[in-house]
Amino acid sequence: MTPADLLSFLAKRGGREFAVTACMRQGRGKKARLHEVGVYRLTARGDEVQATGPSGQTRLLSQATFLDLFGNYEFRAPEPTGVLTDLGPLFC
């Protein structure tokens, strides 16, 4: 999943936290493989994304900043953590 696809996915499910594994592609051609960087917990909060990295540090990022930071990453399928950060999902 690309960073833009992930942002769209999160925006549709605002307030719900998802765990995603960030990966970077290493090598070229047939020898290329995905290297897992770590698991991030992400939540869409309005026009921003709350991101908690593998170290446990949480930051609130604009969508543009998110794309700048994670633009070279690929993400595995998001897994719901069951955490709701606000009441928005209850009224969708």
Side-chain angles (χ1 to χ4, degrees):
M1 176 177 278
T2 68
D5 291 339
L6 182 57
L7 277 178
S8 176
F9 176 87
L10 293 171
K12 292 177 185 172
R13 294 156 181 86
R16 295 180 193 163
E17 183 181 79
F18 289 87
V20 294
T21 302
C23 303
M24 294 222 39
R25 191 163 297 279
Q26 291 182 327
R28 295 178 188 245
K30 292 181 181 180
K31 294 184 179 184
R33 66 181 184 93
L34 284 179
H35 170 71
E36 291 185 357
V37 176
V39 176
Y40 289 82
R41 293 185 325 229
L42 303 172
T43 306
R45 298 182 61 88
D47 290 335
E48 298 179 314
V49 177
Q50 180 176 308
T52 303
S55 67
Q57 186 175 19
T58 300
R59 299 207 182 223
L60 199 56
L61 308 169
S62 69
Q63 291 185 4
T65 302
F66 179 86
L67 292 173
D68 285 343
L69 291 174
F70 293 102
N72 292 329
Y73 288 81
E74 293 181 35
F75 295 95
R76 301 222 189 268
E79 298 288 330
T81 64
V83 174
L84 296 175
T85 58
D86 58 31
L87 297 178
L90 298 176
F91 301 103
C92 293

